[in-house]
Amino acid sequence: MGTVTIGVSIAVPEPHGSLLQERRAGFGDAAAHGIPTHVTLLPPTEVEDSALPSVEAHLTEVAAAGRPFPMKLSGTGTFRPLSPVVYVRVAQGAEACTWLQKQVRDASGPVARELQFPYHPHVTVAHGIDEAAMDRAFEELSDFEAEWPCTGFALYEQGADGVWRKLREFTFGGSIVPPQAGHVKRGSLPTSQL
């Protein structure tokens, strides 16, 4: 028995996912083609491969408690100088992503962990490349927009070749409800994001 590196994320659907992946590669990010375009819910996390069934069971429960919500990407942001990242902003759906990632990393679950930085949902489009290329990514994607109904998330495993591959998708338990004002209830998806 060994360990595997897993991650949980919301995929950016086509044609937007491939477009952003190609743009990321075009900015000189060598990792671009090994990382499907996504919003992270659980960053790369090493687990015993024997723990995968309990991870999948946990994620099934998280998905069952979730509800589809509108996702919208708009414009760019950066974590520089703290971290060498340029990203596309999550303009709608950020509260729901925050709720989901908390459920995924819950202390009672099999992938409980602390984060290196406070959670901030985003779609990375440049990471660890030279500053001029980072500036170009920030400028060239500043008017990028995409929206879709988010209906679930997926579990990924990083191969020995550094490529992330989808292991399984998890679909939310409810139907899409129009956005409305509301209050966040502990353990439930914020109604403002339904």
Side-chain angles (χ1 to χ4, degrees), residues 10 13 16 20 27-28 37 56 86 94 100 102-103 108 115 118 137 155 160 164 168 171-172 179 184 190-192:
I10 295 170
H16 316 296
L20 289 177
F27 297 131
T37 307
E56 290 190 19
V86 170
L100 281 168
K102 283 181 186 172
Q103 306 310 305
S108 66
L115 298 177
L155 172 65
W164 287 90
R168 182 173 164 193
T171 303
F172 294 137
V184 176
T191 56
S192 63

Side-chain angles (χ1 to χ4, degrees), residues 31-57:
H33 288 296
I35 305 172
T37 307
H38 68 282
V39 175
T40 299
L41 298 177
L42 177 73
T45 301
E46 194 172 292
V47 298
E48 295 292 327
D49 51 12
S50 61
L52 281 176
S54 63
V55 170
E56 290 190 19

Side-chain angles (χ1 to χ4, degrees), residues 165-181:
R165 293 174 180 86
K166 188 188 310 176
L167 294 179
R168 182 173 164 193
E169 291 185 17
F170 299 86
T171 303
F172 294 137
S175 58
I176 295 177
V177 178
Q180 61 187 18

Side-chain angles (χ1 to χ4, degrees), residues 122-179:
H122 65 280
V123 177
T124 299
V125 290
H127 180 235
I129 58 178
D130 70 68
E131 289 297 317
M134 299 277 264
D135 292 341
R136 195 161 60 90
F138 187 88
E139 290 301 320
E140 290 183 13
L141 291 171
S142 63
D143 59 354
F144 178 84
E145 287 199 350
E147 50 189 307
W148 70 94
C150 179
T151 57
F153 55 84
L155 172 65
Y156 292 81
E157 179 181 341
Q158 187 177 36
D161 56 1
V163 175
W164 287 90
R165 293 174 180 86
K166 188 188 310 176
L167 294 179
R168 182 173 164 193
E169 291 185 17
F170 299 86
T171 303
F172 294 137
S175 58
I176 295 177
V177 178

Side-chain angles (χ1 to χ4, degrees), residues 88-103:
V88 171
R89 295 182 325 103
V90 175
Q92 186 178 10
E95 282 183 58
C97 292
T98 300
W99 180 85
L100 281 168
Q101 65 88 28
K102 283 181 186 172
Q103 306 310 305

Side-chain angles (χ1 to χ4, degrees), residues 9 12 23-24 37 57 59 62 75 99 112 119 134 142 172 174 182 189:
S9 63
V12 174
R23 294 303 304 271
R24 184 173 178 173
T37 307
L59 296 177
V62 171
W99 180 85
Y119 183 73
M134 299 277 264
S142 63
F172 294 137
L189 191 61

